[in-house]
């Protein structure tokens, strides 16, 4: 039985919660990042980059899967960040996605 406080993510689901505290914008992703929803992540990152935030934190600690399309979004965002004062930080957590990110040297 699912209670009201529980959120169930079906395969392929992605939810991005955007927030701001002071000069920091946080994007917390939940679920899976794949070809179907990677553009949603890219759009959220671009919105954050267009803001006046001094720092952008992308929290992937609750992401259970990421495919090559999602990795591409992250690599392109990292490149933009390198030319934009390195505002982007990525929080990986310790799951499968974190291990894959370390393996691909994106961490």
């Amino acid at each position: 039985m699912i209670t009201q406080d529980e959120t169930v993510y079906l395969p392929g689901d992605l939810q991005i919660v955007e927030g701001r505290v002071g000069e920091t914008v946080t994007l917390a992703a939940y679920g899976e990042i794949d070809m179907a929803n990677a553009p949603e992540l890219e759009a959220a990152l671009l919105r954050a980059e267009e803001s006046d935030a001094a720092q952008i934190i992308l929290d992937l600690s609750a992401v259970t899967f990421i495919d090559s399309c999602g990795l591409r979004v992250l690599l392109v965002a990292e490149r933009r960040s390198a030319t934009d004062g390195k505002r982007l930080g990525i929080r990986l957590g310790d799951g499968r996605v974190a291990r894959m990110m370390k393996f691909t040297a994106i961490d």
Side-chain angles (χ1 to χ4, degrees):
M1 172 188 281
I2 299 171
T3 66
Q4 287 181 321
D5 296 328
E6 292 180 75
T7 302
V8 176
Y9 297 100
L10 299 174
D13 279 357
L14 174 66
Q15 180 182 11
I16 301 170
V17 177
E18 300 179 36
R20 182 172 182 148
V21 175
E23 295 292 314
T24 302
V25 169
T26 301
L27 305 173
Y30 300 87
E32 298 182 355
I33 302 170
D34 59 22
M35 177 175 53
N37 58 35
E40 183 180 340
L41 175 61
E42 185 169 32
L45 283 164
L46 288 170
R47 278 192 304 277
E49 292 167 11
E50 291 169 359
S51 75
D52 63 347
Q55 184 176 25
I56 301 164
I57 302 296
L58 176 59
D59 185 348
L60 300 177
S61 59
V63 171
T64 58
F65 173 82
I66 188 168
D67 71 3
S68 61
C69 294
L71 289 174
R72 182 197 159 282
V73 168
L74 298 179
L75 286 170
V76 170
E78 284 274 325
R79 284 189 204 134
R80 286 192 307 262
S81 179
T83 63
D84 188 26
K86 297 193 178 201
R87 296 190 303 162
L88 179 63
I90 300 176
R91 185 176 302 144
L92 295 174
D94 59 2
R96 286 183 286 169
V97 172
R99 287 190 299 275
M100 186 179 69
M101 300 289 277
K102 289 179 182 179
F103 177 74
T104 59
I106 296 175
D107 69 333

